[in-house]
């Protein structure tokens, strides 16, 4: 049975070594993510992680990888077991870093393609099953403001306000109802993982807390923790 869920974004800027001059600007976001990770570990030292990556590649258990492709040769591992380095997608790298920072023993990463239809996200939830601690990784719209990486879109603010409200209320219905086409237009890479969460948590009675919700670099970042009531 799922006891606790943490919902986090996955920007490389979370990692101080990668943030460089933006490290201070990311401090509040980073601390919220680390607090959520610590709470997840208090539910279980072994996490299941849901993230999105094109093609949904399989991620081996106990794998190790590096942020070398993002400019810093910082190694991370999905468990405390030493394993040869392999090429890992961003969600797995971030999960490995969070595992270490949050004091967890292991993370098992399940990836979905960002374009996965809503009904297939529900199917993924059934395949993943129940685990005490679940980490959901995904960013909101990348189209906030004139300097946003995706180009400004006036709909981004309302979209991410809706995500914040759904996370604050543990509203699985609102997450399940997200429009994949709109999310894609707004560059919201977290849509599919959030809809997997909707399937995983649909039958639960949850208390929820949003630890962070903002778009400091033109991208919506949300940090929330759900606990089974």
């Amino acid at each position: 049975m799922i006891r606790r869920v943490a919902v986090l974004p996955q920007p490389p800027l979370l990692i101080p070594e990668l943030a460089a001059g933006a490290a201070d600007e990311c401090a509040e976001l980073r601390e919220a993510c680390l607090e959520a990770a610590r709470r997840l570990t208090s539910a279980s030292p072994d996490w299941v992680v849901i993230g999105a990556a094109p093609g949904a590649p399989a991620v081996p258990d106990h794998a190790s990888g590096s942020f070398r492709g993002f400019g810093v040769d910082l190694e991370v591992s999905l468990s405390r077991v030493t394993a040869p380095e392999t090429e890992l997608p961003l969600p797995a790298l971030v999960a490995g870093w969070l595992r270490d920072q949050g004091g967890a023993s292991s993370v098992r990463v399940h990836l979905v393609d960002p374009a996965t239809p809503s009904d297939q996200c529900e199917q993924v939830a059934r395949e993943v099953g129940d685990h005490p601690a679940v980490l959901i990784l995904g960013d909101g719209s990348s189209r906030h403001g004139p300097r946003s990486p995706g180009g400004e879109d006036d709909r981004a603010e309302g979209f991410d306000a809706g995500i914040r409200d759904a996370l604050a209320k543990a509203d699985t219905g609102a997450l399940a109802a997200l429009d994949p086409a709109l999310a894609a237009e707004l560059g919201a890479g977290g849509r599919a993982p959030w809809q997997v969460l909707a399937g995983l948590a649909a039958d639960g009675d949850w208390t929820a807390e949003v630890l962070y919700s903002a778009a400091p670099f033109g991208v919506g970042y949300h940090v929330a923790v759900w606990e089974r009531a």
Side-chain angles (χ1 to χ4, degrees):
M1 178 182 292
I2 300 174
R3 293 170 53 199
R4 192 165 295 160
V5 176
V7 180
L8 274 67
Q10 58 180 34
L13 289 172
L14 275 181
I15 291 83
E17 292 87 342
L18 275 68
D24 290 343
E25 294 179 72
C26 297
E28 184 180 356
L29 169 62
R30 183 181 304 111
E31 182 50 42
C33 290
L34 296 181
E35 172 62 20
R38 290 189 288 266
R39 291 193 196 181
L40 204 58
T41 300
S42 70
S44 173
D46 302 301
W47 306 348
V48 166
V49 180
I50 309 296
V59 177
D61 292 344
H62 310 298
S64 298
S66 171
F67 282 97
R68 190 179 302 109
F70 295 89
V72 176
D73 190 9
L74 175 66
E75 295 184 0
V76 295
S77 176
L78 300 185
S79 79
R80 293 174 179 168
V81 177
T82 302
E85 184 181 311
T86 187
E87 186 173 349
L88 295 176
L90 179 60
L93 291 171
V94 172
W97 183 79
L98 289 166
R99 178 202 66 79
D100 181 62
Q101 298 296 311
S105 297
S106 67
V107 295
R108 291 174 49 206
V109 180
H110 297 265
L111 297 178
V112 294
D113 190 278
T116 302
S118 301
D119 59 343
Q120 291 185 25
C121 291
E122 185 177 351
Q123 175 61 33
V124 171
R126 289 194 291 268
E127 293 170 357
V128 169
D130 285 342
H131 302 272
V134 176
L135 173 63
I136 306 292
L137 291 175
D139 299 342
S141 174
S142 63
R143 307 192 68 178
H144 289 268
R147 292 188 172 182
S148 58
E152 186 173 12
D153 191 308
D154 292 341
R155 298 172 295 174
E157 184 176 353
F159 178 87
D160 274 303
I163 299 300
R164 180 190 62 239
D165 290 348
L167 294 176
K169 299 173 183 175
D171 189 343
T172 57
L175 295 177
L178 290 173
D179 181 354
L182 175 61
E185 290 173 13
L186 295 177
R191 190 275 308 172
W194 295 332
Q195 291 194 316
V196 174
L197 168 60
L200 286 170
D203 296 331
D205 182 16
W206 304 91
T207 60
E209 181 182 4
V210 172
L211 305 182
Y212 181 94
S213 182
F217 303 101
V219 183
Y221 298 141
H222 308 283
V223 181
V225 177
W226 291 8
E227 298 190 33
R228 190 175 292 275

